[in-house]
Amino acid sequence: MADRPVLFDYELSANAYAVRLMAGLIGIAHDRRPVDVYPGRETEGADFRALNPRGTVPVWVEDGEVLTSVAAILWHMARGAPAWQGGDRAAETIEWLAFAERDLAAADAARLDAMLGLASPVVDPVAAARRAFRILDDRLARQGIDGAGFLVGAEPTVADVAAFPAVALAIDFGEALEAYPKLRAWTRRMRALPGFVTTPGVPDHL
Amino acid sequence: MSRTDDPVALDEWYVVGRPEDLSIGRPVATRLLGAELTLGLAGGAVTAVETETGRALPVTLAYGHVWTTLGTPTRGLPPIAEFDETDRRLATCGAVHVRASGLRLVENFLDMAHFPFVHTDILGVEDRPTVEPYDCEIRRDVDEVWATNCRFWQPQAAANAAGGQMSDYLYRVARPFTVLLYKTCPSDPARQDVIGLLIQPTDEDRSIAYAFVLVVDAVSSTTEIIHFQQTIFLQDRIILENQRPRLLPLSPRAETPTRADLSSIAYRRWLKEKGLRFGIDRREAA
Ligand SMILES: [Fe+2]
């Protein structure tokens, strides 16, 4: 029998939280290896770079395979659960999965700047995060017209899981989401899913 | 804002960083009491300069952190005897930025009533919310505020806790912006872990919080210990950033009675006696 997958995890990382959330929602047993990203800068060390040259968390290691993109990790985790991959709307699911990993990175940069004073790789991350939230809010508004409560269809997919942490943790940089009513309603639907797990910073009520 | 003129705030030592975050040739800009500071390394020694005036400030390395002052403190750093015990491990948890008065952070640290609701299933459980009576006094001999005989049921009191325990707490506010907590060590009930919250008040309504943990724990990795504390403090951060006003009112009547408990009342009275102004909501001052 294969070893359990290992998550190289950091409690404060939004993308690492996405992986923990996915594991909870689908029910995937795994081992956690906490990484001292801050203040220990373990991700800059030679040992960690040998595992992941990009120096980012999360990292998912399973059967000798090393995954470092949150989109790839979530897609891989959902391989036995086609509904989470969007069923016959897989391409659209990947579209929004990619959006989450690429455009919502600004929200995490804004958080880490506000919380820890870490320099942002994105110029004006708060403004960039708000632009991404506007796009998501508009998407959910259009989905609502079709009677669908999630980013792709009526059921949640990996794209929703990838997007949730950046949105739910926006309060960490002072963004209370007052201007994004559809996003707030969507976070409530996410929280109600069986197997949902939270992380420090996610408000009880949005 | 520019540097405060509050002598009570100026004449104290403050943490402004950790030595390992400084590297040669790369000055670090930070703030203290409204003044810009530049930290650096020169010949292996940590330096601190008030940026606007170019004035070199005194620097002390202690308890895993860099300390400095803008004024002339009448006393040194608070003594922490446990740092002499060689079987203890020190973990410093880095810097967390909070948009609130540093005094708010101290008061939150003293408040046990929030454990079940903010640190649910870690430092408290929702069906055991009661804070049992404890003792609190301003200790004139050392000029500190102490809360003793505090007891609280905790499902996961520390990184190495295997199950719930009745934790015994002793709180020690050693300086207006420096507070220590001594609590039952899960691996050795005869001893106490020490947790320090060291605050760098950057502006009246903004702070950087540094925490250290000095534990008797042969099991947990340093990373696990740091993550445990970071988790706890980030739960507090949300509460702190949403408190209004951001500055600390001194009158207990200014806020709900549940928060204005014994240790909070003593702390506020002690601050009032000192005549501290920095970080205090002065609108109600009469
Ligand atoms: Fe707390």
Side-chain angles (χ1 to χ4, degrees):
Chain A
M1 193 183 147
D3 290 339
R4 274 154 60 109
V6 179
L7 169 62
F8 288 79
D9 194 12
Y10 181 46
E11 188 93 16
L12 274 61
S13 155
N15 281 340
Y17 170 44
V19 176
R20 298 195 297 273
L21 176 57
M22 190 83 250
L25 292 169
I26 307 191
I28 295 179
H30 62 283
D31 294 324
R32 282 183 67 215
R33 254 286 319 276
V35 179
D36 186 4
V37 175
Y38 179 84
R41 296 189 289 196
E42 187 179 343
T43 48
E44 296 171 24
D47 287 354
F48 191 85
R49 291 291 167 124
L51 174 74
N52 174 11
R54 295 173 60 236
T56 55
V57 284
V59 178
W60 185 265
V61 179
E62 186 168 2
D63 297 334
E65 209 170 8
V66 179
L67 301 176
T68 66
S69 145
V70 68
I73 295 170
L74 299 186
W75 193 259
H76 170 78
M77 292 172 88
R79 68 199 179 284
W84 284 98
Q85 294 182 332
D88 57 5
R89 297 174 73 180
E92 217 176 334
T93 305
I94 292 172
E95 168 78 14
W96 288 99
L97 187 56
F99 176 86
E101 178 155 32
R102 183 187 58 226
D103 294 66
L104 292 177
D108 212 36
R111 272 181 77 223
L112 296 175
D113 176 25
M115 288 196 303
L116 306 175
L118 299 184
S120 165
V122 183
V123 180
D124 198 350
V126 173
R130 286 183 178 145
R131 281 195 297 275
F133 290 168
R134 172 56 50 216
I135 292 169
L136 277 182
D137 197 67
D138 290 347
R139 167 70 180 184
L140 288 164
R142 280 196 300 277
Q143 290 286 94
I145 294 167
D146 300 335
F150 294 93
L151 287 171
V152 185
E155 298 297 327
T157 67
V158 291
D160 297 283
V161 178
F164 180 79
V167 175
L169 295 169
I171 193 69
D172 281 340
F173 61 93
E175 172 54 68
L177 302 177
E178 275 143 358
Y180 312 97
K182 301 298 178 198
L183 264 186
R184 290 164 59 126
W186 166 80
T187 64
R188 288 193 290 273
R189 285 192 288 279
M190 290 295 291
R191 295 176 60 93
L193 295 173
F196 177 86
V197 292
T198 188
T199 204
V202 176
D204 285 339
H205 304 286
L206 267 175
Chain B
M1 68 177 276
S2 55
R3 187 181 80 189
T4 183
D5 61 1
D6 177 358
V8 180
L10 289 168
D11 291 345
E12 290 281 355
W13 289 94
Y14 297 97
V15 165
V16 290
R18 301 183 319 148
E20 53 266 60
D21 296 332
L22 299 170
S23 59
I24 291 165
R26 287 183 52 190
V28 172
T30 188
R31 292 173 70 77
L32 178 64
L33 302 173
E36 301 278 350
L37 301 191
T38 307
L39 307 179
L41 272 184
V46 176
T47 59
V49 170
E50 188 180 11
T51 312
E52 192 184 336
T53 61
R55 179 170 64 115
L57 303 175
V59 170
T60 298
L61 300 188
Y63 312 141
H65 291 83
V66 177
W67 301 70
T68 192
T69 179
L70 287 160
T72 47
T74 54
R75 54 179 177 168
L77 304 186
I80 307 173
E82 288 74 11
F83 273 89
D84 297 331
E85 298 174 7
T86 52
D87 64 338
R88 287 181 180 267
R89 292 169 57 200
L90 173 68
T92 57
C93 302
V96 177
H97 297 236
V98 186
R99 283 176 296 175
S101 163
L103 307 170
R104 286 277 195 197
L105 275 60
V106 173
E107 195 172 79
N108 172 268
F109 192 76
L110 296 174
D111 170 38
M112 286 180 287
H114 78 282
F115 288 170
F117 310 107
V118 177
H119 310 297
T120 311
D121 298 334
I122 305 174
L123 299 184
V125 286
E126 282 178 321
D127 57 2
R128 297 182 75 163
T130 314
V131 178
E132 292 177 26
Y134 60 95
D135 302 309
C136 190
E137 60 170 336
I138 299 174
R139 284 196 41 184
R140 304 292 172 185
D141 54 338
V142 288
D143 191 21
E144 298 184 356
V145 178
W146 284 46
T148 55
N149 299 318
C150 311
R151 289 167 64 75
F152 211 84
W153 173 260
Q154 302 199 311
Q156 200 198 335
N160 61 334
Q165 70 172 23
M166 188 54 108
S167 294
D168 288 299
Y169 270 60
L170 186 156
Y171 288 104
R172 178 182 161 207
V173 189
R175 300 291 184 268
F177 293 89
T178 301
V179 58
L180 301 161
L181 163 64
Y182 299 75
K183 73 187 278 190
T184 312
C185 167
S187 63
D188 183 352
R191 301 179 69 185
Q192 290 182 311
D193 289 339
V194 186
I195 298 167
L197 180 66
L198 316 171
I199 293 154
Q200 173 182 353
T202 54
D203 293 284
E204 290 215 60
D205 58 354
R206 280 176 185 259
S207 315
I208 303 177
Y210 300 83
F212 73 75
V213 182
L214 188 64
V215 289
V216 185
D217 176 355
V219 184
S220 309
S221 70
T222 301
T223 302
E224 287 168 330
I225 293 170
I226 291 171
H227 284 191
F228 182 84
Q229 290 305 322
Q230 286 182 344
T231 299
I232 299 293
F233 194 72
L234 289 169
Q235 292 172 338
D236 285 319
R237 183 178 177 272
I238 306 161
I239 306 300
L240 289 162
E241 292 221 331
N242 286 294
Q243 279 181 350
R244 294 295 181 275
R246 289 189 194 278
L247 305 186
L248 183 73
L250 285 192
S251 156
R253 281 167 303 158
E255 297 194 339
T256 57
T258 48
R259 289 199 64 81
D261 61 4
L262 212 54
S263 57
S264 159
I265 290 167
Y267 177 55
R268 292 180 184 200
R269 185 187 304 143
W270 183 64
L271 295 175
K272 197 168 200 167
E273 286 177 10
K274 288 186 173 304
L276 181 76
R277 286 183 280 118
F278 193 85
I280 286 170
D281 185 32
R282 295 184 289 279
R283 288 173 304 179
E284 57 168 319

